[in-house]
Amino acid sequence: MKAFEFIKPVTKFAKDHSNVILTIASSAGVVATTFSAVKDTKKHELNIADTEYEWSKRDTDDPLPKKERFVVALKSYWPTLVIGAATITCLVANGVISEKKIAGLGTAYNVAVTSFNEYKKSVGKRLKETDISEMKKEESQPEVVAQTSDPVEKEQKIIRTGKGETLFKEPISGQMFYSSPEEVRDVINTLNADISQGASQTLNDLLDGLGIQTSSLGDDFMWDVMETGNIAITFDSGVYMGREPYILLDHRNMPMYMAPAFR
């Protein structure tokens, strides 16, 4: 079991960073091929000299045949040939993966353009974990809540993450939670660092990092370095139930819809 637990994150890391890994491998392969060729050339000069000497002992004036020269060259340069072949394989694989990603992103982008506005209006209602309609109903009746001594505890709509006492609202999921500006910025910076390295980050990655409920749809919406760029959020303001101020996480670029078939 421990072996499988180790393999799973390694496999996910390799899949998410395949382009970066293949690019590094290709670059290293080019350098290694050059050094190997220089080294093998010196070895080849010695091998061909030995072969010509042995050939000269024969009772013939003919020069060393091309076939013999080819065999000697093959024996001398086989490490360079192996490294070169591996480098070419990495370059071709990187190109194929990039082409598939670009094709998938292009198709997904077209879907996102037509469905984004509808998603923005309705995604909150489709989250299994959050009853947005009930939250809006209760927010429209502040006088009822005002009669209670502790509206946060009664409603149980505000999540306490244990990472701060500043009230925040994440608008895509509609969730409200207590955290700190430093913690929120740290989560965003961490996700953006992975995006900059070529990995995709989903809406659920953001929600989970903030310490709030993920969504059954959250894995279908993501940010990446090619289409959406980094997660860009500014701090806006609002007032909850007419009494408690909160920071609104205003998304400057929304996540892109990526159908499961293209992931």
Side-chain angles (χ1 to χ4, degrees):
M1 292 297 295
K2 291 184 177 180
F4 287 107
E5 292 176 0
F6 172 76
I7 292 173
K8 185 175 181 180
V10 171
T11 303
K12 184 179 185 301
F13 177 86
K15 181 179 179 181
D16 292 342
H17 299 81
S18 57
N19 287 104
V20 177
I21 294 172
L22 288 173
T23 299
I24 295 174
S26 301
S27 301
V30 171
V31 176
T33 302
T34 302
F35 279 103
S36 180
V38 173
K39 181 180 178 182
D40 290 345
T41 298
K42 296 179 180 179
K43 182 171 64 174
H44 175 65
E45 291 175 351
L46 296 175
N47 290 341
I48 198 69
D50 290 340
T51 304
E52 287 179 341
Y53 175 74
E54 294 295 331
W55 181 264
S56 66
K57 293 180 179 181
R58 300 186 180 186
D59 188 16
T60 179
D61 293 332
D62 295 334
L64 185 66
K66 292 182 179 181
K67 180 180 179 180
E68 294 295 331
R69 291 180 179 275
F70 176 78
V71 172
V72 173
L74 189 62
K75 291 180 179 179
S76 302
Y77 285 101
W78 73 264
T80 301
L81 294 175
V82 171
I83 298 174
T87 302
I88 294 173
T89 301
C90 290
L91 290 171
V92 172
N94 195 12
V96 172
I97 293 174
S98 298
E99 185 177 353
K100 288 183 178 180
K101 286 187 176 181
I102 292 172
L105 290 173
T107 304
Y109 177 75
N110 292 331
V111 176
V113 169
T114 57
S115 64
F116 168 70
N117 289 331
E118 182 64 24
Y119 161 74
K120 187 176 180 181
K121 295 177 182 179
S122 64
V123 66
K125 298 179 182 179
R126 299 167 64 189
L127 298 178
K128 292 182 178 180
E129 298 81 1
T130 308
D131 188 356
I132 300 302
S133 60
E134 184 66 20
M135 178 184 290
K136 290 183 177 180
K137 177 180 177 181
E138 292 164 352
E139 286 181 348
S140 66
Q141 300 175 351
E143 67 279 0
V144 176
V145 178
Q147 297 175 4
T148 65
S149 59
D150 192 350
V152 173
E153 294 296 328
K154 293 287 288 185
E155 300 301 331
Q156 296 183 357
K157 296 296 182 181
I158 300 179
I159 300 173
R160 293 189 176 274
T161 64
K163 300 177 182 179
E165 294 299 325
T166 303
L167 185 59
F168 288 86
K169 182 174 183 178
E170 199 291 307
I172 296 180
S173 65
Q175 298 179 80
M176 303 191 73
F177 61 98
Y178 284 111
S179 187
S180 69
E182 294 77 13
E183 176 66 23
V184 172
R185 290 192 183 98
D186 183 62
V187 170
I188 296 172
N189 290 338
T190 299
L191 295 177
N192 281 339
D194 290 338
I195 293 173
S196 299
Q197 293 297 318
S200 298
Q201 296 297 326
T202 66
L203 175 60
N204 275 346
D205 290 329
L206 175 62
L207 300 180
D208 185 63
L210 295 174
I212 57 181
Q213 294 291 328
T214 57
S215 163
S216 59
L217 302 173
D219 288 333
D220 295 339
F221 291 84
M222 58 186 65
W223 292 269
D224 76 346
V225 70
M226 295 181 63
E227 291 292 340
T228 63
N230 287 347
I231 301 172
I233 292 179
T234 58
F235 288 176
D236 206 339
S237 62
V239 179
Y240 175 64
M241 303 297 252
R243 61 175 61 186
E244 185 173 3
Y246 64 82
I247 295 177
L248 175 67
L249 303 182
D250 188 9
H251 291 271
R252 310 310 296 177
N253 58 332
M254 300 296 287
M256 174 184 62
Y257 175 74
M258 176 63 77
F262 293 101
R263 294 205 300 270

